[in-house]
Amino acid sequence: MLKGIIESLLFVSDEPLSVAKLQQVTGQGQTEIEVALEEIKVELADGERGIVLQEVAGGFRFFTNPKYSAYVEKLVLSSEFRRLTQAALETLAVIAYRQPITRVEVSNIRGVSVDSVLANLVAKGLVKEVGKDDAPGHPTLYGTSDIFLESFGLKDLGELPSLEEFSPDEETARKIQRHLQS
Amino acid sequence: MLKGIIESLLFVSDEPLSVAKLQQVTGQGQTEIEVALEEIKVELADGERGIVLQEVAGGFRFFTNPKYSAYVEKLVLSSEFRRLTQAALETLAVIAYRQPITRVEVSNIRGVSVDSVLANLVAKGLVKEVGKDDAPGHPTLYGTSDIFLESFGLKDLGELPSLEEFSPDEETARKIQRHLQS
Amino acid sequence: MNNNASTHNSQLTTHDESYNIELEVFQGPFDLLLELILRQEVDLFDVPIAAITDNYLKYLQRMKELNLEVTSEFLVLAATLIELKSIALLPVEDEEKAEGSYEEETRESLIGHLIDYKTFQNAADDLYVRGEMQSKMYPRDVQLPEELSVSAPDVLEGVRLIDLISLAHELMQPKPSFKIDTTHIYEYKVSIEEKIAEVKDRLKDRSRRTFRDLCGSAGSKIEKILIFLAILELFKRGEIAVSQARTFGEINIKLVNSEQ
């Protein structure tokens, strides 16, 4: 059971998990955690499994078995992999122009929950945490990353064209008009 | 070995992987892939493991065991569960079972206007436009999306129980009959 | 018949009050009607439709008092129920009650509709359970290891800066509020009492009128029903006399004038 819990935590974690962190989340003692981690490690260490558990700086983390890296690369390089969805693009656009911004603020602008989309943008390295808001609960503030700037050939955020200058072309304006009339 | 490769591919992928995609990356036949997937699934299915393999929206994806959701939510930003309203669920049910369907047809079944509920489902990506009806005015036809399948853990629409299973039980049907007799 | 109906009525009223159903926002008129039907656990195989109608109207009234949204759909269903009720109040010859009559059709279609709706409600419950379970399962949304993300294809390939700006611009526009012109929608304020007065006035105006004539001025279905109910009421009070020369012929209505 504790083994299962730790497996699921390692699976979703974005960074190595320390024993202390695992203690805090599971409420278990250090020894129990260490025993469970050792068991997971041994199970995965037969050399054939797709996932391995490694202790790296700061804690434990799942990695793909290096033996299969050729296949993993092939998947990652295949063209349709990691393409951004419309929802992701919209979220990125809002963050680019309103950063630093909280998750809830992005949701409010887009009118829908953005949890998974935001996690995905962070995973893809386009968006990163840039601090905490002063508001109650100190929600995380998000902003765009260097990878984002690079992708659009921007030196810095100051180079983003101002939104005010940008007014929709005639066709877009007509579309909105039509929308409002119908 | 193939099992290990597939495990590593499923681990790095941020979307469900179809059997065809796995064939393409591994160079193996359909049967071999399916056998390996089944083996992985069975191994993980003892109920105690941290990770489960699920077939959703036409592909396979690893998820954390729902049993441990409380711990996972403690670790990652707990996604405020996008709980759908009763109106949204009813509308979604009608669309799922009657697609492709027009807005007016959904309204007729639910007995109320569904404009705003439908717009919200489209914004959430659960419902999408799938075409135009031949009827006068060519009203838009709606259907469910892959996000719908993923959100409800469905492999495909065929996995939905048949609508007949949801017919009101005899007692309910009798009550309706009886109470509307003059 | 009238007596019967009111007896059932009072029974149901007392019983209903003890239920004390919490007022919720119903997912439409069928939801409300189903709720009323299914909560009536009392085994009355002959509960008249009038009782359902009364309860339904009572609910609409309470919804209005609590400022809950009462959309036109609720009123349409109320009108249908009143229509069924009023037909049911008429003495009907047995052979006329045969299947295929208008009343029968309306009722059958309403029953069919409710059963269909209940089916989808059950399907929605099933979706809820599935969604709840799935929401407890987390996929892995984690950045690729660095050695892989360097060689990975550009996730923004094909996306131009101008596309991003257009999106941002569009999303940040003040949300247009889709105002619907409601000037043509008005509350139907005429009560049966007012219709009774109106019918009497028109009969004073001209001593004899046909049923068709009286209903001809009605603008809507609900108004027709109100006029019909007004005529029934006047007949019951003995204020009008009704005659019909032959089956399906014109129905003549005239005031019973005490002075004459």
Side-chain angles (χ1 to χ4, degrees):
Chain A
M1 166 96 176
L2 178 60
K3 223 174 66 183
I5 296 172
I6 294 177
E7 262 182 354
S8 64
L9 295 175
L10 289 168
F11 176 73
V12 292
S13 177
D14 209 2
E15 52 189 15
L17 291 176
S18 66
V19 173
K21 182 78 189 175
L22 288 169
Q23 279 183 255
Q24 183 208 319
V25 175
T26 63
Q28 298 288 316
Q30 189 183 338
T31 320
E32 286 84 353
I33 303 281
E34 283 173 351
V35 167
L37 281 168
E38 190 54 32
E39 275 179 33
I40 296 172
K41 195 166 183 172
V42 168
E43 267 172 37
L44 292 173
D46 76 349
E48 294 284 312
R49 300 292 300 270
I51 305 166
V52 294
L53 179 62
Q54 270 184 16
E55 188 167 4
V56 291
F60 291 82
R61 190 170 188 180
F62 279 147
F63 289 93
T64 57
N65 189 334
K67 200 168 150 182
Y68 306 132
S69 61
Y71 296 100
V72 173
E73 267 168 49
K74 200 168 165 192
L75 174 71
V76 171
L77 287 176
S78 63
S79 59
E80 69 271 43
F81 192 71
R82 285 165 55 89
R83 206 177 30 201
L84 288 187
T85 60
Q86 175 74 13
L89 273 179
E90 288 184 9
T91 305
L92 188 60
V94 171
I95 293 174
Y97 278 95
R98 284 283 186 268
Q99 59 186 304
I101 186 171
T102 66
R103 185 169 52 89
V104 171
E105 288 165 344
V106 182
S107 286
N108 287 344
I109 294 175
R110 285 204 50 232
V112 289
S113 158
V114 295
D115 298 357
S116 64
V117 175
L118 191 55
N120 200 260
L121 286 171
V122 172
K124 289 191 159 89
L126 293 166
V127 165
K128 60 180 184 185
E129 301 188 3
V130 294
K132 297 279 178 194
D133 198 21
D134 284 338
H138 297 287
T140 306
L141 289 165
Y142 293 88
T144 52
S145 68
D146 286 350
I147 297 178
F148 168 80
L149 291 176
E150 255 174 66
S151 305
F152 289 109
L154 298 168
K155 195 173 65 198
D156 52 43
L157 285 172
E159 268 195 350
L160 265 182
S162 112
L163 263 191
E164 284 65 43
E165 280 169 35
F166 182 84
S167 64
D169 56 51
E170 243 179 67
E171 203 208 321
T172 311
R174 224 178 15 244
K175 258 192 203 164
I176 296 171
Q177 196 69 18
R178 217 179 304 143
H179 239 20
L180 289 173
Q181 279 165 0
S182 63
Chain B
M1 166 98 176
L2 177 60
K3 224 174 68 186
I5 296 172
I6 293 177
E7 264 181 356
S8 62
L9 295 176
L10 290 169
F11 181 72
V12 292
S13 177
D14 59 3
E15 58 186 12
L17 290 177
S18 66
V19 172
K21 183 80 193 170
L22 288 169
Q23 280 184 257
Q24 184 204 319
V25 175
T26 62
Q28 299 286 316
Q30 187 183 338
T31 320
E32 286 83 354
I33 302 281
E34 284 172 352
V35 168
L37 282 167
E38 189 53 35
E39 277 178 34
I40 297 173
K41 196 165 183 174
V42 169
E43 269 172 34
L44 293 171
D46 76 350
E48 293 285 313
R49 298 292 299 271
I51 305 166
V52 294
L53 179 62
Q54 206 187 19
E55 188 170 4
V56 287
F60 290 82
R61 193 171 187 183
F62 280 144
F63 289 93
T64 57
N65 188 333
K67 202 167 148 182
Y68 306 133
S69 63
Y71 298 98
V72 173
E73 276 156 23
K74 226 163 145 183
L75 182 71
V76 296
L77 77 150
S78 72
S79 71
E80 91 233 30
F81 171 41
R82 284 149 282 176
R83 183 160 283 156
L84 293 173
T85 61
Q86 180 65 23
L89 279 168
E90 284 181 11
T91 305
L92 205 49
V94 172
I95 294 173
Y97 280 97
R98 286 276 188 267
Q99 59 187 306
I101 187 171
T102 66
R103 186 173 50 81
V104 171
E105 287 165 343
V106 182
S107 290
N108 286 345
I109 293 175
R110 289 204 50 232
V112 284
S113 147
V114 296
D115 298 10
S116 65
V117 177
L118 189 56
N120 201 260
L121 288 172
V122 171
K124 286 195 157 84
L126 292 165
V127 164
K128 60 179 182 184
E129 301 187 3
V130 293
K132 297 281 176 192
D133 197 22
D134 283 338
H138 297 286
T140 305
L141 290 165
Y142 294 90
T144 53
S145 66
D146 279 355
I147 296 179
F148 165 79
L149 293 176
E150 259 197 85
S151 307
F152 292 95
L154 296 165
K155 188 168 69 180
D156 50 42
L157 288 172
E159 245 197 353
L160 280 175
S162 107
L163 198 54
E164 280 71 50
E165 285 179 35
F166 297 122
S167 300
D169 55 50
E170 243 180 66
E171 204 205 321
T172 306
R174 221 177 22 241
K175 267 190 189 167
I176 293 172
Q177 292 271 4
R178 194 186 289 164
H179 281 75
L180 287 177
Q181 301 302 330
S182 44
Chain C
M1 174 161 215
N2 217 346
N3 279 339
N4 264 338
S6 52
T7 315
H8 283 304
N9 237 333
S10 53
Q11 271 176 5
L12 215 87
T13 311
T14 7
H15 196 87
D16 192 54
E17 274 163 2
S18 64
Y19 278 135
N20 196 15
I21 303 172
E22 251 176 76
L23 260 190
E24 47 186 305
V25 182
F26 288 95
Q27 308 308 318
F30 292 137
D31 193 23
L32 170 54
L33 185 57
L34 263 180
E35 184 77 13
L36 288 173
I37 289 173
L38 298 181
R39 291 267 183 126
Q40 236 137 43
E41 282 149 21
V42 60
D43 192 23
L44 294 174
F45 59 87
D46 57 349
V47 166
I49 196 165
I52 295 283
T53 312
D54 285 348
N55 272 310
Y56 191 88
L57 291 173
K58 236 181 272 165
Y59 260 104
L60 291 190
Q61 195 54 45
R62 278 170 68 191
M63 281 168 85
K64 256 168 77 181
E65 278 166 17
L66 292 170
N67 274 326
L68 297 177
E69 194 186 9
V70 179
T71 56
S72 52
E73 292 92 351
F74 285 97
L75 298 177
V76 169
L77 187 58
T80 309
L81 286 172
I82 293 171
E83 194 180 12
L84 284 173
K85 171 183 178 172
S86 50
I87 293 171
L89 288 175
L90 282 176
V92 187
E93 299 287 330
D94 275 352
E95 56 265 35
E96 277 180 40
K97 221 173 177 176
E99 273 180 43
S101 70
Y102 173 70
E103 178 204 3
E104 196 65 26
E105 262 174 43
T106 309
R107 198 171 49 217
E108 283 305 313
S109 122
L110 186 57
I111 289 171
H113 215 125
L114 280 172
I115 286 179
D116 277 355
Y117 177 68
K118 182 68 192 160
T119 304
F120 281 108
Q121 261 194 346
N122 292 342
D125 291 346
D126 175 68
L127 279 183
Y128 175 78
V129 172
R130 285 168 190 275
E132 183 108 304
M133 171 58 88
Q134 196 62 29
S135 74
K136 289 184 179 153
M137 298 171 66
Y138 289 83
R140 203 176 125 86
D141 275 320
V142 170
Q143 189 163 5
L144 283 175
E146 205 177 337
E147 67 275 13
L148 282 174
S149 54
V150 174
S151 54
D154 183 0
V155 292
L156 287 166
E157 203 183 329
V159 179
R160 296 165 305 160
L161 186 55
I162 187 82
D163 299 329
L164 199 70
I165 303 168
S166 320
L167 276 177
H169 190 271
E170 210 175 293
L171 287 163
M172 278 170 302
Q173 290 299 310
K175 297 267 179 300
S177 54
F178 289 87
K179 282 246 169 69
I180 296 170
D181 182 15
T182 53
T183 49
H184 62 286
I185 301 172
Y186 58 93
E187 211 180 340
Y188 203 86
K189 290 205 174 77
V190 184
S191 68
I192 291 191
E193 280 309 322
E194 285 172 274
K195 272 291 165 207
I196 289 172
E198 191 188 310
V199 169
K200 275 168 80 177
D201 274 352
R202 292 180 63 193
L203 286 170
K204 273 178 198 150
D205 195 37
R206 201 200 303 164
S207 64
R208 182 184 297 265
R209 279 180 185 272
T210 64
F211 179 72
R212 188 192 303 276
D213 179 22
L214 283 169
C215 283
S217 65
S220 62
K221 196 177 190 180
I222 194 150
E223 199 178 347
K224 270 199 186 95
I225 293 169
L226 284 169
I227 294 173
F228 179 50
L229 290 175
I231 293 169
L232 285 181
E233 184 60 31
L234 284 169
F235 181 64
K236 197 178 89 181
R237 291 183 195 170
E239 294 190 45
I240 55 171
V242 178
S243 64
Q244 190 177 25
R246 54 188 170 82
T247 318
F248 297 124
E250 292 288 354
I251 301 167
N252 295 304
I253 297 163
K254 63 173 188 180
L255 278 181
V256 176
N257 206 324
S258 46
E259 291 126 57
Q260 271 181 2

